[in-house]
Each structure stands twice: as structure tokens, then as C-alpha cells.
């Protein structure tokens, strides 16, 4: 079965919601208007239960099927937050809020899950319970974790959970997925190096912190190349290098480095942390300087469970006619990973066509993807919980 006819009929209406959300982006947990919009729509659809305020500003809604003999409960998740980016699309429905933009298509994800909710509430052609999860703060705020910590999975009895992200470069209406690791974990580090500032012409009376920090940066590049099994995937990047010297004739007293470690192999997260600490502290010590390492763990690896990946891929093939079920993993991260740590489930990519990349000021979600995205959510529910 391809795109669901009823959802194709609703394409214009859902596009209207998407463009409204696009024009009114909100950041992190401050998604009050967006969550309010979601709750209003869900009320209109006549879903069975709506609970706002989960994970601060997340919304959870319940739709019961025609029958409930198997008692299966499936979670479907969308993210609601935008990014601190100045929009440069020039669209007539572009962001009305300076410095904020839906540059990752979460306006599209939220609208597609709303479309599926409307369809499911109308048709209820399934046996069990669909739980709709609208989460805040995907972009760096771990809103998915906050919802889990508020008891999302146990309180609603969720057994499996599914999520979706649009993907520029993949044709509109197509899907791609893989079992196992799909997106990387993301840990951040900061290294504060302190030497002894001085006159550039008298280095023997100083401890040159810039030189020490430079040695640390170079040595950090051995973490991946000399510690990690070459078959595994880990990347380490030092993104900033700031000294407190502002003149060519001054030796810096302090240098601050910031970087990130991404991996698809979670066993390397503690190993990378230990290596970064050792290299920074011991290198600094060898030069008579001191290094302090601040390690901030971020999102886990997004790992699709095998069986649920098959269900997700079958639903996608039913909607789109085909599916790439062995797509290459990518190194960005995604906080749906926290939900997948609590329950089996799968995360799928939906094509956004030939657009600017996510997080680019010229990015826009492609509304032509809406019928396929809504149909996939609905298809999962109807396939996993068929009426007997
Ligand atoms: Ni995103």
C-alpha cells in the first residue's frame, strides 16, 4: 500500500501547520507556543488523552485502536525545537523571530506526527495503543532524556519506539535506515592549560603555554589513529584554540582548547576520555605547565534494534515502494538515542531532496515529504498492531 489516500487529502492542511510552525520557531525547552499548538490540534482530533509538561515542555498523547486485545503499545516521536540561526531563505513564511530558525526540519517532523495523529484518531484501524511523543530540546538540551526521566516509557507502557529525521540529499519520499549504530555519540571536552606568561624575547623565564597547548593538539590526533581499532569509527576534533595573549611580543599565560569526540562504538567513549586526560595532563606536566580537562558526556550512540528496524523498513517499503535498509551511518548525534536506550525501536531517514544541509541558514523542510512521512508513522501502527 502506498501513501494513504486520507493523508494525501490532508497534505494542504498539514503543510499549513508546518509553515505556521516554521514562521514561529522556539529554542530548546522554551517551546511553549509550539507545544500549545500541538495540544490544540490534538484536542481537535479527539485523541484519548493529552499530557503536556513531560520533560518540562514535551507533550504525550494517546490514541487507542478500535480494539485492544493484544495490549501492544507503540511510541512515535517527533522533535519540536528550532535553532539559534538567522534564516536566509527569503520564504514568505520564513521565521518571524530574529536569530531563530527551524533549520533542522523539526517543524516538518512535528507536523507529520500531527498528521498521523489526525489520521489515526479518525480511523483507529489498529489493535492496541499509539503513544505520540512531542519532545523539546533535541538540539543540545537532551529533551528526550528529560522525557525519559519523567517516566515516559513506564508511565505510558511503551514497548517499542520509532522516530524519523529528514535528510537532504536523499530524494523526497524515499527512506533509508540500518540496524545497529546509525548516528554517533557526542562528548565534549575543554582543556585549560596554564603556563607562565612573559616577554616574547625572554622565553627562558616563561613557560610558553601556546607551545604546550600546540603539543597537546598534535598529540590528541594520536588518540584515534593509535588507540582505536582501524575498523571502528571514532573522530576527535579540536574546534577552538584561544590564548590570553593579544600581542606578538607576549608569551601566553593561559590557553583554552575545546573539542568533541564522536563515535559509533560506545566502548571507545571512556577510552577516549582517559586518553585525552592523560595526554593533556602529562604533556603539560612535561613542559612545566598544568592542564585541567573538563569532560562533558553528550548524546549516546543512536542504535536501532534489529527486529524494530525490520518493521520500520517494511513500513517504509510499503509507503515508498522501496527502502534502503543498509544506509551508511553518519557522525552527527541525536537524542532519540536516549529513548532507544530504554526501549527497542528504530530511527529512519526520510528524503528531503536537493536542499541545503540541516543547520544551514538556507535550509528548508520540503513539504512534498509530508504524505510519505505521515503514512510511515501510521503504517508502523497499523502493521505492528493489526486488527484481528
Ligand atoms: Ni534535527
Amino acid at each position: 500500500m502506498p501513501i494513504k489516500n486520507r493523508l494525501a487529502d490532508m497534505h494542504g492542511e498539514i503543510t499549513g501547520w508546518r509553515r505556521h510552525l516554521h514562521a514561529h520557531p522556539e529554542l530548546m525547552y522554551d517551546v511553549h507556543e509550539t507545544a500549545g499548538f500541538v495540544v490544540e490540534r490534538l484536542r481537535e482530533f479527539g485523541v484519548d488523552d493529552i499530557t503536556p509538561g513531560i520533560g518540562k515542555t514535551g507533550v504525550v498523547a494517546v490514541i487507542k485502536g478500535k480494539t485492544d486485545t493484544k495490549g501492544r503499545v507503540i511510541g512515535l516521536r517527533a522533535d519540536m525545537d528550532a535553532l539559534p540561526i538567522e534564516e536566509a531563505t527569503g520564504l514568505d513564511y520564513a521565521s518571524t523571530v530574529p536569530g531563530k530558525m527551524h533549520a533542522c526540519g523539526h517543524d516538518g517532523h512535528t507536523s507529520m506526527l500531527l498528521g498521523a495523529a489526525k489520521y489515526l484518531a479518525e480511523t483507529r484501524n489498529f489493535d492496541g495503543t499509539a503513544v505520540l511523543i512531542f519532545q523539546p530540546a533535541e538540539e543540545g538540551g537532551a529533551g528526550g532524556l528529560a522525557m525519559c526521566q519523567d517516566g515516559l516509557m513506564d508511565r505510558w507502557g511503551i514497548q517499542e519506539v520509532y522516530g524519523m529525521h529528514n535528510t537532504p540529499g536523499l530524494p523526497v519520499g524515499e527512506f533509508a535506515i540500518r540496524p545497529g549504530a546509525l548516528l554517533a555519540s557526542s562528548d565534549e571536552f575543554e582543556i585549560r592549560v596554564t603556563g607562565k606568561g612573559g616577554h616574547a624575547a625572554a622565553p627562558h623565564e616563561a613557560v610558553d603555554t601556546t607551545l604546550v597547548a600546540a603539543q597537546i593538539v598534535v598529540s590528541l590526533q594520536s588518540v584515534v589513529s593509535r588507540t582505536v581499532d582501524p575498523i571502528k569509527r571514532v573522530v576527535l576534533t579540536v574546534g577552538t584554540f584561544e590564548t590570553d595573549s593579544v600581542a606578538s611580543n607576549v608569551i601566553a599565560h593561559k590557553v583554552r582548547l575545546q573539542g568533541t569526540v564522536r563515535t559509533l562504538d560506545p566502548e571507545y567513549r571512556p577510552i577516549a576520555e582517559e586518553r585525552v586526560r592523560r595526554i593533556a595532563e602529562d604533556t603539560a606536566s612535561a613542559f612545566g605547565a598544568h592542564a585541567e580537562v573538563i569532560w562533558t558526556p553528550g548524546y549516546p550512540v543512536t542504535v536501532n534494534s534489529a527486529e524494530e528496524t525490520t518493521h520500520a523498513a517494511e513500513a517504509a517499503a510499503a509507503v515508498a515502494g522501496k527502502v534502503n535498509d543498509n544506509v551508511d551511518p553518519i557522525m552527527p548525534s541525536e537524542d532519540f538515542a536516549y529513548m532507544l536506550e530504554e526501549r527497542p525501536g528504530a530511527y529512519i531517514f526520510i528524503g528531503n531532496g536537493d536542499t541545503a544541509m540541516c543547520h544551514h541558514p538556507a535550509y528548508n523542510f520540503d513539504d512534498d515529504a509530508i504524505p510519505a512521512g505521515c503514512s510511515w508513522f501510521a503504517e508502523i501502527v497499523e502493521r505492528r498492531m493489526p486488527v484481528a
Side-chain angles (χ1 to χ4, degrees):
M1 181 206 258
I3 301 293
K4 294 181 186 300
N5 288 337
R6 178 68 185 112
L7 282 163
D9 292 345
M10 287 160 38
H11 191 177
E13 183 184 16
I14 300 168
T15 299
W17 304 336
R18 206 286 289 182
R19 293 182 179 190
H20 170 82
L21 294 175
H22 190 86
H24 302 93
E26 296 177 294
L27 304 184
M28 296 290 270
Y29 286 96
D30 186 23
V31 289
H32 299 280
E33 282 186 33
T34 307
F37 181 86
V38 164
V39 167
E40 266 178 55
R41 298 287 83 69
L42 292 169
R43 278 211 186 101
E44 286 169 10
F45 307 158
V47 304
D48 295 292
D49 184 57
I50 304 170
T51 310
I54 301 300
K56 295 184 185 157
T57 42
V59 178
V60 182
V62 171
I63 304 173
K64 297 239 173 235
K66 262 182 200 144
T67 53
D68 192 15
T69 51
K70 293 198 192 97
R72 198 188 290 279
V73 183
I74 305 270
L76 305 173
R77 170 271 204 179
D79 39 15
M80 299 189 287
D81 57 320
L83 284 155
I85 292 175
E86 185 69 35
E87 180 157 354
T89 61
L91 292 163
D92 56 1
Y93 57 89
S95 173
T96 57
V97 188
K100 298 182 189 177
M101 176 191 177
H102 268 295
C104 202
H106 299 185
D107 48 347
H109 306 161
T110 295
S111 302
M112 291 192 292
L113 186 54
L114 280 174
K118 179 167 182 177
Y119 166 88
L120 291 170
E122 270 179 21
T123 54
R124 303 194 184 243
N125 194 25
F126 58 97
D127 175 20
T129 303
V131 178
L132 315 166
I133 305 162
F134 296 89
Q135 78 151 79
E138 193 288 316
E139 299 288 358
L145 176 62
M147 291 190 83
C148 287
Q149 288 172 337
D150 265 358
L152 173 67
M153 298 299 168
D154 289 339
R155 198 166 151 189
W156 279 273
I158 295 167
Q159 296 166 327
E160 302 168 19
V161 66
Y162 297 89
M164 180 196 292
H165 206 291
N166 76 91
T167 303
L170 182 66
V172 172
E174 290 191 14
F175 293 89
I177 193 169
R178 68 174 287 114
L182 181 65
L183 293 120
S185 61
S186 169
D187 298 326
E188 311 285 315
F189 61 83
E190 179 179 336
I191 302 174
R192 295 177 187 164
V193 190
T194 307
K196 187 178 169 205
H199 197 293
H204 58 294
E205 290 174 5
V207 175
D208 184 349
T209 320
T210 300
L211 178 64
V212 177
Q215 299 282 354
I216 292 172
V217 171
V218 171
S219 297
L220 286 178
Q221 288 310 315
S222 72
V223 172
V224 174
S225 68
R226 303 291 89 174
T227 307
V228 174
D229 178 341
I231 302 298
K232 305 288 179 149
R233 279 174 273 206
V234 184
V235 60
L236 181 153
T237 293
V238 175
T240 71
F241 187 118
E242 294 164 26
T243 87
D244 67 350
S245 168
V246 290
S248 61
N249 61 357
V250 173
I251 287 173
H253 185 69
K254 287 177 188 277
V255 172
R256 179 170 170 257
L257 308 172
Q258 289 174 290
T260 182
V261 174
R262 310 285 176 112
T263 181
L264 296 168
D265 298 282
E267 69 269 25
Y268 282 106
R269 296 176 75 189
I271 294 170
E273 177 182 356
E274 196 271 332
R275 293 298 300 146
V276 168
R277 285 188 188 280
R278 280 278 296 276
I279 286 169
E281 290 165 6
D282 292 358
T283 303
S285 167
F287 284 85
H290 175 77
E292 181 192 357
V293 178
I294 299 149
W295 190 270
T296 309
Y299 295 172
V301 182
T302 299
V303 182
N304 282 341
S305 54
E307 202 179 312
E308 286 67 28
T309 302
T310 303
H311 301 320
E314 284 173 359
V319 168
K322 61 172 184 172
V323 61
N324 175 0
D325 60 6
N326 192 26
V327 70
D328 284 337
I330 54 173
M331 297 308 270
S333 61
E334 159 61 59
D335 89 341
F336 187 64
Y338 290 110
M339 298 191 186
L340 290 176
E341 285 193 331
E342 296 214 350
R343 290 296 185 273
Y347 193 68
I348 199 165
F349 297 138
I350 180 171
N352 203 57
D354 185 21
T355 60
M357 285 310 294
C358 291
H359 296 209
H360 189 280
Y363 166 86
N364 189 26
F365 179 81
D366 191 326
D367 291 314
D368 288 342
I370 286 173
C374 297
S375 294
W376 180 78
F377 278 129
E379 192 71 35
I380 290 267
V381 169
E382 292 178 353
R383 281 181 165 257
R384 288 295 293 136
M385 304 188 283
V387 174

